[in-house]
Amino acid sequence: MLSDIEIAQQAEMLPITKIAEKLDIREEELEPYGRYKAKLSDSLMERLADKPDGKLILVTAINPTPAGEGKTTTTAGLGQAMAKIGKNAIIALREPSLGPVFGIKGGAAGGGYAQVLPMEDINLHFTGDMHAITAANNLCCAMLDNHIQQGNALGIDPRRILIKRCLDMNDRALRNVIVGLGGKVNGVPREDHFCITVASEVMAILCLADDIDDLKKRLGNILVAYNYNGEPVYARDFKADGAMTVLLKDAIKPNLVQTLEGTPAVMHGGPFANIAHGCNSVRATKLALKLADYCITEAGFGSDLGAEKFLDIKCRYAGLKPNAIVIVATTRALKYNAGIAKTECGEPNLDALREGIVNLGVHINNMRKFNVPVVVAINRFITDDPKELEFIEEYCKENGADFALSDVFANGGEGGKALAEKVVEAAEKPSDFKVLYSDELTVKEKIEAIATKIYGAKDVSYTSAAEKAIKEVQALGGDKLPVCIAKTQYSLSDNPALLGAPKDFTITVRNVSLSNGAGFVVVYTGDIMTMPGLPKVPAAEKVDIENNKIVGLF
């Protein structure tokens, strides 16, 4: 079989105007970025405001291997399969980050014959959204340091600056840095930090903002520091919000692209799910719901991370109500959850599968807690043993879960028809969506609700730093906000070594911060970091250009 990039490069794409025509988008509502990608204008959203919504399908997964389990591939393939069975569907995805593209996980445009195109553009600079978010964040940081340098009228305490500079790249050397060195003219020396762009609050804000005015308000509400009196300082206090909004005036518009089979795809925003809230933008999802009868979207990593945040944060704020949830499972991830080395997960091992399949059971039960119909997508790999696939099917039957084998990687939409039929059936069933916890609970009660009901923890412990931070959040009125837990994606616990369905473990909260503009409280557990590092052999080593053609991207 050809590589992902070879398949993508051989595909015959439709002009983006033809994709827009499928959705009845008018010429003046489309802002082309070349022939095959475009921004969707505010006027389109205004015109469709009163149109009934289609059905919302969320694609999530079990706890993955480091390579991922094909969640985006399943989403793209399911969108293509919907067309095969005569349904009008659109997919809504996050934009990839350059960090994993050049790191270990690769891009986020799907794979095989279930990809979103133009794959190279999407996985690299796309329409410049990531760069705009990076620039807006770093403008705020530059203005803050300049304010301190130019007299510090707000009395900002350089020891209590909360906002971090960002970069859309895995670069561990920038996690902790010293800025302002070189004498008086170069600023006030202080400790500073970098996070990856997709973990920045500006990214979260862009993905949760309703419109440009809401975006500006949220940017102004970013808690950037405290002054010497212990009082909060916000981005609006040194007038950074207006210029930040200007940098994001185009980035706030969703992007229109297509799959290999011409299914329309909206891609917008890209927060990680292990260190951020893991969903594409509210604007993109809401618009997609107006453009087609079925909107298929995804949330990052396993359902304990991306799906929980999609349901408890995004749906809470946007008033969204999913009609069905798809859980992607693979034989290799289930064996990985039994403790099998990732290099051996492709080998037949029914005993390991029996041990690791409990992880799937937890994810099925967790998603049912939100009162939404669930379908398991068994994402088939070429190396899969038929007996192992049969075992997963029997497990789903025994647990009363709808399921279908998905072969979209090798066969595109044709390989996802069975899954599409199951999803359509599920979406017609009664759905009484409810969030996991109410706004009125305290920060600790919300954390404990997620830890015990979703992760399966027996309790939660807090470091002294976390206890202090929670009191500060409460003092600023943040105790009524939802929580966004930063946690490893490899385990239901905060310890990546505890695989499968761990029991009797304690979640340790090491710190807490208020993302005041985004509107949630970030809870840090385990060793999770907001600036990843590159692996020993990064994917970037294989990427090159030959005869003006990109090679080795995947």
Side-chain angles (χ1 to χ4, degrees), residues 379-524:
N379 186 24
R380 182 179 181 181
F381 283 71
I382 295 172
T383 57
D384 283 346
D385 184 338
K387 291 181 180 179
E388 293 185 340
L389 296 174
E390 291 173 9
F391 179 80
I392 299 173
E393 291 177 351
E394 286 301 317
Y395 182 86
C396 290
K397 289 178 184 177
E398 291 170 5
N399 285 269
D402 287 335
F403 66 91
L405 192 68
S406 175
D407 204 7
V408 296
F409 182 89
N411 295 303
E414 192 68 29
K417 287 169 65 175
L419 176 61
E421 296 282 6
K422 287 289 185 180
V423 168
V424 169
E425 290 175 13
E428 294 300 327
K429 294 178 181 179
S431 176
D432 186 24
F433 169 68
K434 64 175 182 178
V435 293
L436 189 69
Y437 55 82
S438 75
D439 293 329
E440 301 308 310
L441 297 182
T442 65
V443 172
K444 282 190 173 183
E445 287 172 335
K446 291 168 185 170
I447 295 170
E448 287 154 17
I450 297 171
T452 57
K453 295 179 182 179
I454 300 298
Y455 305 158
K458 65 176 180 179
D459 55 23
V460 181
S461 67
Y462 301 84
T463 65
S464 57
E467 293 281 7
K468 180 181 178 182
I470 289 172
K471 290 179 181 178
E472 291 178 345
V473 166
Q474 292 171 333
L476 294 172
D479 55 321
K480 300 306 178 187
L481 299 176
V483 296
C484 179
I485 300 182
K487 181 185 75 71
T488 178
Q489 64 269 33
Y490 299 121
S491 172
L492 288 161
S493 74
D494 55 359
N495 178 357
L498 294 180
L499 303 175
K503 300 182 184 300
D504 298 324
F505 62 90
T506 297
I507 291 284
T508 300
V509 176
R510 59 180 177 84
N511 211 341
V512 170
S513 66
L514 176 61
S515 287
N516 194 59
F520 53 67
V521 177
V522 182
V523 179
Y524 299 94

Side-chain angles (χ1 to χ4, degrees), residues 78-226:
L78 178 56
Q80 294 176 163
M82 285 289 200
K84 294 285 186 182
I85 65 170
K87 301 298 181 182
N88 176 24
I90 189 171
I91 64 174
L93 298 169
R94 294 174 296 162
E95 300 176 49
S97 162
L98 290 176
V101 167
F102 292 116
I104 188 171
K105 192 171 182 292
Y113 289 92
Q115 294 189 56
V116 187
L117 306 177
M119 180 265 261
E120 292 153 287
D121 291 1
I122 289 168
N123 281 315
L124 297 175
H125 302 291
F126 200 19
T127 57
D129 293 347
M130 290 291 184
H131 303 314
I133 292 165
T134 302
N137 181 91
N138 292 344
L139 172 63
C140 184
C141 295
M143 291 181 70
L144 182 148
D145 278 313
N146 183 64
H147 181 89
I148 296 173
Q149 170 76 356
Q150 304 292 352
N152 199 5
L154 294 172
I156 295 169
D157 186 345
R159 300 164 301 180
R160 299 198 67 192
I161 291 174
L162 306 176
I163 191 170
K164 299 178 181 180
R165 286 173 162 82
C166 71
L167 185 72
D168 188 34
M169 193 61 64
N170 291 359
D171 193 348
R172 62 172 58 83
L174 293 178
R175 287 172 184 161
N176 303 291
V177 297
I178 302 294
V179 297
L181 298 180
K184 185 175 181 180
V185 297
N186 292 314
V188 176
R190 68 175 182 87
E191 182 180 359
D192 200 1
H193 312 273
F194 274 78
C195 65
I196 192 167
T197 297
V198 289
S200 69
E201 185 174 355
V202 176
M203 170 62 83
I205 286 171
L206 183 88
C207 289
L208 293 171
D210 291 325
D211 51 36
I212 196 78
D213 293 329
D214 187 39
L215 176 68
K216 180 180 177 181
K217 180 180 178 182
R218 287 173 177 270
L219 291 170
N221 286 339
I222 295 175
L223 175 65
V224 297
Y226 286 93

Side-chain angles (χ1 to χ4, degrees), residues 331-340 345-349 352-353 388:
T331 61
R332 66 177 191 176
L334 291 170
K335 286 180 278 190
Y336 183 80
N337 271 282
I340 300 300
C345 287
E347 300 295 324
N349 190 334
L353 187 63
E388 293 185 340

